[in-house]
Amino acid sequence: MNKISKLAVLTSGGDAPGMNPCIRSVVRTAIYNNLNVVGIRRGYQGLIEDDMFDMHARSVSNILNLGGTILKTARCLPFRTDEGMEIAYQNLKKQGVDALVVIGGDGTFTGALRFSKKYPDIAVMGVPGTIDNDLYGSTYTLGFDTATNTVIEAIDKIRDTADAHDRLFFIEVMGRDSGAIALRAGISCGAEAILLPEKATAIDDLIKNLKTGENNKKSSSIVIVAEGDKNGGAYDIAQKVQKEVKFYDVKVTILGHLQRGGSPSAFDRILGSRLGYAAVNALIKGESQMMVGLEANHIKLTTLEEALNQHEFKLEEDLMEMAEILSI
Ligand code: ATP
């Protein structure tokens, strides 16, 4: 027997490709299980503004291939206050909602956990949706695979022109606290150096590395800089290096928001479908204050408490070492 009868779903924080397949999966799994479903627009902002609408199986037709999120997303300051949470709670009660699926990153989960502790009669389930791949409890988060593929496609094109002109390119990719995209893209594109927030890189060492590349007859060099690297952004680093590196013409590209867009990859469509399905089934079983994730290709539930407490940025030393060796 279902312990819940009406479920709400929202997307919050940064958008990520794969959110739409996940919304589709949540809606259809709920309907299959005779639950009513409402969609909430613009994350916690819509929850506070009572911007909700009934969803049906056809509400999510033909969205598997769409980037972004049909529910829209927002960063919502009022939800951080007790007053904002109370309004959100009253709006959910008015709608008869007794379970909430939140798709987002660690900020979204922090809000969901606080909310659920205050109002335990509304069950909450988190789905990791962020291109940063930085959540404990899931090897992959929604959007990371698509974003990495988008970055790789862009860098491949830059490599063509870099090679034609004997240029050194600094390419800045997203990742304020997480070097996950930078590292995967660096391995995939054969970057000569990868600068990550998790590891301090001395500019002198970088210059030495680039000079070695030049001595080894490299006709172009690519340095990938995650936006959170401690040396500053790609422009700052390029300026420091340019003074010392005379043999290359130095250029900078900031990939920016194109990394968030685009049709979700097969991986993100399947991940979104699996996580959405698992989230609803866990709520039906009576679970709450959990996050659904994928570990070793199996669905795993982690408490939101643990997911947030264990949330720290670890350098994947083995991948970094391999990337350095393979780029000689
Ligand atoms: P991304 O990883 O893509 O940035 P995120 O979920 O971490 O996604 P945030 O902007 O940090 O994105 O958080 C999303 C929303 O969660 C915030 O706009 C806010 O409404 C809510 N939130 C974040 N922290 C808290 C908190 N301490 N208390 C209540 N709500 C919070």
Side-chain angles (χ1 to χ4, degrees):
M1 198 185 79
N2 290 343
K3 292 185 176 120
I4 53 172
S5 61
K6 190 165 185 175
L7 180 147
V9 55
L10 60 79
T11 49
S12 161
D15 61 303
M19 283 182 163
N20 282 327
C22 186
I23 294 165
R24 172 180 177 270
S25 174
V26 167
V27 170
R28 291 191 173 170
T29 307
I31 287 167
Y32 175 80
N33 287 286
N34 301 314
L35 301 176
N36 293 313
V37 195
V38 292
I40 302 168
R41 293 189 188 89
R42 292 173 299 116
Y44 295 130
Q45 192 69 38
L47 194 49
I48 289 175
E49 293 173 5
D50 199 13
D51 192 359
M52 307 184 205
F53 61 103
D54 291 334
M55 295 188 84
H56 312 282
R58 297 283 73 73
S59 314
V60 289
S61 295
N62 304 326
I63 66 165
L64 274 169
N65 56 326
L66 300 181
T69 157
I70 61 159
L71 291 176
K72 308 242 179 215
T73 183
R75 304 200 193 261
C76 171
L77 278 179
F79 194 70
R80 292 170 184 263
T81 65
D82 288 344
E83 297 74 23
M85 284 207 177
E86 177 62 24
I87 296 169
Y89 175 70
Q90 293 304 338
N91 286 337
L92 286 174
K93 291 307 276 185
K94 200 167 64 188
Q95 291 274 352
V97 168
D98 43 24
L100 178 63
V101 175
V102 297
I103 307 168
D106 60 330
T108 300
F109 292 172
T110 305
L113 183 58
R114 262 188 68 199
F115 181 79
S116 180
K117 281 183 174 169
K118 271 168 88 70
Y119 308 106
D121 52 324
I122 307 228
V124 298
M125 193 59 56
V127 177
T130 167
I131 63 168
D132 290 339
N133 207 38
D134 60 353
L135 286 168
Y136 177 83
S138 194
T139 313
Y140 295 105
T141 58
L142 285 179
F144 169 64
D145 183 69
T146 307
T148 306
N149 279 307
T150 302
V151 168
I152 290 168
E153 206 184 316
I155 296 178
D156 284 349
K157 289 176 178 154
I158 292 170
R159 176 71 85 175
D160 289 346
T161 177
D163 213 40
H165 286 275
D166 296 342
R167 278 179 175 153
L168 161 60
F169 265 86
F170 288 85
I171 302 172
E172 189 175 298
V173 302
M174 282 186 170
R176 276 193 306 265
D177 302 303
S178 159
I181 290 179
L183 183 52
R184 299 305 191 292
I187 292 168
S188 305
C189 298
E192 276 61 36
I194 308 166
L195 274 54
L196 311 167
E198 296 91 337
K199 186 185 180 200
T201 307
I203 295 291
D204 287 349
D205 290 343
L206 175 63
I207 292 168
K208 209 155 64 185
N209 174 358
L210 293 169
K211 283 184 176 161
T212 307
E214 209 273 333
N215 292 337
N216 288 345
K217 309 251 176 303
K218 287 203 172 211
S219 56
S220 64
S221 278
I222 300 262
V223 177
I224 300 184
V225 182
E227 61 186 336
D229 183 75
K230 304 291 179 289
N231 290 300
Y235 276 110
D236 297 336
I237 298 170
Q239 235 173 18
K240 288 177 201 159
V241 170
Q242 188 150 35
K243 289 184 200 135
E244 304 292 330
V245 178
K246 307 285 182 226
F247 38 90
Y248 286 125
D249 186 16
V250 176
K251 298 281 176 200
V252 176
T253 299
I254 313 276
L255 293 182
H257 281 83
L258 71 82
Q259 295 165 85
R260 285 198 182 277
S263 185
S265 63
F267 184 87
D268 278 326
R269 294 182 197 200
I270 294 163
L271 184 65
S273 301
R274 289 182 76 179
L275 295 181
Y277 181 76
V280 175
N281 283 318
L283 285 165
I284 289 170
K285 284 193 187 128
E287 300 286 1
S288 181
Q289 299 184 6
M290 297 278 194
M291 180 194 97
V292 287
L294 194 72
E295 296 271 3
N297 205 23
H298 284 90
I299 294 292
K300 184 185 146 202
L301 290 184
T302 304
T303 62
L304 286 177
E305 195 97 52
E306 195 187 0
L308 291 166
N309 285 342
Q310 300 282 338
H311 178 68
E312 62 177 67
F313 306 104
K314 290 192 193 80
L315 179 68
E316 293 163 298
E317 299 271 5
D318 54 335
L319 293 187
M320 193 66 190
E321 189 183 314
M322 181 187 78
E324 280 166 15
I325 290 169
L326 297 186
S327 71
I328 52 171

